[in-house]
Amino acid sequence: MDHHFTKEDFFITINNDQLHCRWTLHGQSPRFPVLVFLHEGLGSIPQWKDFPEEVARQTGLDIFLYERTGYGQSSPLTEKRGLDYLHKEAAQLTSLIHDLKIASYVLLGHSEGGSIALLHAAEYPEGLEGVITISANIFHE
């Protein structure tokens, strides 16, 4: 099946930080759940390469990607990360999903993004349909 989709890059303010975001949207009515990508500890949107578009083609789902504070084109960090930073990232993800009115979603997280996905699932599961992790860190190194 041939899927036509468009990419839309934008910025959204969450907790005083500008986050760089990208939708990969299908031209038809939206399919649910939305697949939300969470990058690794040194990642950004471009490091996913064409993987999100291929997933969109194969699944027919809308894809949402964003760069956390301190990464890519998002706001730089203004303070050192504490030991609870992954929990703060999970809370920021919750705010982002709420502000974008994403009602149903699956998280796909790589490495540190996978850890954030698991924390989010444990603490803020409303609307969450599932979690996919790729090499999630499940203990503090």
Side-chain angles (χ1 to χ4, degrees):
M1 180 177 357
D2 185 25
H3 292 285
H4 298 283
F5 55 88
T6 59
K7 285 195 252 185
E8 176 190 345
D9 282 70
F10 63 98
F11 288 86
I12 188 168
T13 302
I14 303 290
N15 302 329
N16 298 318
D17 290 324
Q18 288 281 315
L19 302 181
H20 176 225
C21 303
R22 175 177 293 159
W23 277 109
T24 299
L25 299 167
H26 290 268
Q28 60 222 16
S29 61
R31 287 233 186 118
F32 293 100
V34 171
L35 188 54
V36 178
F37 280 63
L38 301 166
H39 63 75
E40 63 178 325
L42 299 174
S44 62
I45 290 173
Q47 288 183 319
W48 287 107
K49 299 184 179 171
D50 64 349
F51 183 60
E53 288 81 6
E54 187 58 33
V55 171
R57 277 188 200 92
Q58 295 293 324
T59 65
L61 296 176
D62 288 341
I63 308 291
F64 178 74
L65 303 98
Y66 76 103
E67 295 168 336
R68 298 189 305 273
T69 304
Y71 298 95
Q73 297 179 48
S74 292
S75 294
L77 288 174
T78 56
E79 58 187 46
K80 281 187 139 185
R81 288 189 170 106
L83 292 177
D84 63 344
Y85 82 96
L86 291 174
H87 291 270
K88 288 181 179 179
E89 295 290 353
Q92 185 179 63
L93 172 60
T94 301
S95 296
L96 184 60
I97 286 167
H98 180 264
D99 287 6
L100 292 171
K101 297 176 178 31
I102 298 174
S104 173
Y105 60 101
V106 170
L107 298 174
L108 186 155
H110 177 229
S111 189
E112 191 172 272
S115 305
I116 294 164
L118 292 171
L119 287 168
H120 173 86
E123 297 177 16
Y124 313 100
E126 185 178 350
L128 181 64
E129 302 293 333
V131 174
I132 302 164
T133 65
I134 305 166
S135 302
N137 303 313
I138 54 173
F139 62 92
H140 196 279
E141 296 182 57

